Amino acid sequence: MNRALTLDDLILAGIALAAGLLAAFLLRMLLRWLGRHATRTRWSGDDVIVDALRTVVPWAAVAGGAASAAAVLPLTRTVQHHVNQTLSVLLIFVVTLTAGRVIAGLVRTVTQSRSGVAGSATIFVNITRVVVLAMGFLVMLQTLGISIAPLLTALGVGGLAVALALQDTLANLFAGIHILASKTVQPGDYIRLSSGEEGYVVDINWRQTTVRQLSNNLVVIPNGQLAKTNMINYTRPEQQLTVLVQVGVGYDSDLEHVEKVTTEVVAEVMTEITGAVPDHEPAVRFHTFGDSRIGFTVILGVGEFSDQYRIKHEFIKRLHRRYRAEGIRIPAPTRTVALHQGSAVIPPPRSGDDVVVEHGGIGAS
């Protein structure tokens, strides 16, 4: 200490500290007011920034008041250095945590606001947060006078060993980044793998992809396996898709009338059922002369994959009811069996009979 501590020194230090506390309180009130106004804007990024500043700015004001109080007091150079160093480390720590939260929040905001990027993909958020915290930790070490060059060298050598030991984990990590960067799969997509698993993608994190089935069960798929397997994405490039329903009518049917009635039912379903595409143009395509029927395909438009079950359900019910009202017959498949026994030939049953096969013979009912 260069000189004796006096009452004036204590008063000035108290004033400096009180000024820092008062500034922290006023700044927090100001940022709270800004936060209420930020919630009214369409962009959610300003909410993240203001919320983070409400943490770091008051602490910065307190640290500034404490540093001013320490400068007023007659401290030795060594003590003054340690006080300043401690305050700097505390401020760097708070700024690092706040910066990690702000950047991670902005990344999450960007991914949620863009349809082409993963809306709930935590892999980008987690990687961003880890990078910011690691940089803040290195800055704190440098502030404390600890050289980070040997640490970086050790991390490089150790990182090679860890990479060899965690090949599968790193493969899943980079596979997840590749999946998101290529935009082949995003949370919210409905996918079906060649192995049979299918459902809505819930999240893609650093190791695995979570898929929610229509039964509400979760399927966890490693990113490396997802990147290598064959997959159908029913959401991209467009969420709307077409569904094919196979129908058949008897040979005695008037096909023009069948097409007209079927088209009317399709148009009715498209306009009245939730999840259908109202502007979908009804399409009926005859394609097969079958054994007992003329087969054709009805093309329906649905808004997304899971809507097809409800729309097909309603379409089949309404089509069946309309066919009965119009007298259009949907024949059941029939088969005729003739048995040659020695020189005698058992004649086939008459048209419309059911064939019954028993031990020791054949008969018609």
Side-chain angles (χ1 to χ4, degrees), residues 56-93:
V56 66
V57 170
W59 277 103
V62 172
S68 301
V72 170
L73 295 176
L75 303 177
T76 61
R77 183 174 301 177
T78 303
V79 175
Q80 184 73 36
H81 173 73
H82 288 312
V83 171
N84 292 337
Q85 195 176 54
T86 302
L87 293 175
S88 299
V89 170
L90 177 62
L91 188 59
I92 292 173
F93 177 74

Side-chain angles (χ1 to χ4, degrees), residues 165-344:
L166 301 177
Q167 293 185 37
D168 293 339
T169 301
L170 293 177
N172 290 326
L173 172 63
F174 290 109
I177 296 176
H178 169 71
I179 290 172
L180 292 177
S182 61
K183 301 179 183 179
T184 55
V185 179
Q186 302 294 329
D189 292 355
Y190 193 94
I191 63 173
R192 176 182 293 167
L193 305 184
S194 59
S195 54
E197 295 89 352
E198 64 177 276
Y200 289 98
V201 178
V202 178
D203 186 38
I204 304 175
N205 58 32
W206 63 274
R207 183 179 181 275
Q208 61 203 17
T209 298
T210 305
V211 175
R212 178 176 58 84
Q213 296 179 319
L214 294 179
S215 60
N216 222 25
N217 297 322
L218 295 180
V219 179
V220 179
I221 307 171
N223 291 334
Q225 178 181 343
L226 182 65
K228 293 186 295 184
T229 188
N230 295 331
M231 173 184 60
I232 302 176
N233 191 332
Y234 290 96
T235 307
R236 300 180 184 278
E238 294 182 1
Q239 190 172 12
Q240 294 183 358
L241 65 153
T242 56
V243 177
L244 307 182
V245 179
Q246 304 299 327
V247 190
V249 295
Y251 277 93
D252 56 349
S253 301
D254 181 356
L255 297 187
E256 294 292 340
H257 182 58
V258 170
E259 183 176 5
K260 177 177 178 295
V261 170
T262 306
T263 301
E264 292 175 355
V265 175
V266 173
E268 176 185 328
V269 171
M270 291 296 100
T271 55
E272 297 181 3
I273 305 303
T274 303
V277 182
D279 57 352
H280 171 75
E281 182 178 355
V284 178
R285 299 291 182 265
F286 295 95
H287 56 73
T288 304
F289 287 102
D291 293 336
S292 59
R293 66 181 66 190
I294 297 177
F296 61 93
T297 300
V298 181
I299 304 175
L300 306 175
V302 298
E304 65 161 330
F305 184 85
S306 60
D307 292 333
Q308 64 174 305
Y309 303 105
R310 178 175 60 256
I311 295 172
K312 289 168 65 175
H313 167 77
E314 289 294 333
F315 171 72
I316 292 174
K317 286 198 309 181
R318 298 187 183 201
L319 187 66
H320 181 262
R321 182 169 60 246
R322 184 69 183 276
Y323 276 7
R324 292 185 62 183
E326 298 288 339
I328 300 175
R329 188 172 61 90
I330 304 177
T334 60
R335 177 175 297 176
T336 301
V337 178
L339 177 64
H340 294 266
Q341 189 173 15
S343 60

Side-chain angles (χ1 to χ4, degrees), residues 92 95-97 99 103 127-143 148 152:
I92 292 173
V95 170
T96 300
L97 293 181
I103 297 176
I127 290 177
T128 302
R129 184 180 290 112
V130 169
V131 170
V132 173
L133 293 179
M135 293 176 61
F137 177 72
L138 294 177
V139 173
M140 282 192 293
L141 292 181
Q142 192 72 26
T143 303
I148 63 175
L152 294 176

Side-chain angles (χ1 to χ4, degrees), residues 148-159:
I148 63 175
L151 178 61
L152 294 176
T153 303
L155 288 176
V157 177

Side-chain angles (χ1 to χ4, degrees), residues 31 34-35 37-53 106 109:
L31 290 170
L34 291 176
H37 285 273
T39 55
R40 303 174 186 174
T41 62
R42 298 179 58 183
W43 185 49
S44 58
D46 52 359
D47 299 333
V48 176
I49 295 175
V50 172
D51 183 65
L53 291 178
L106 292 177
T109 299

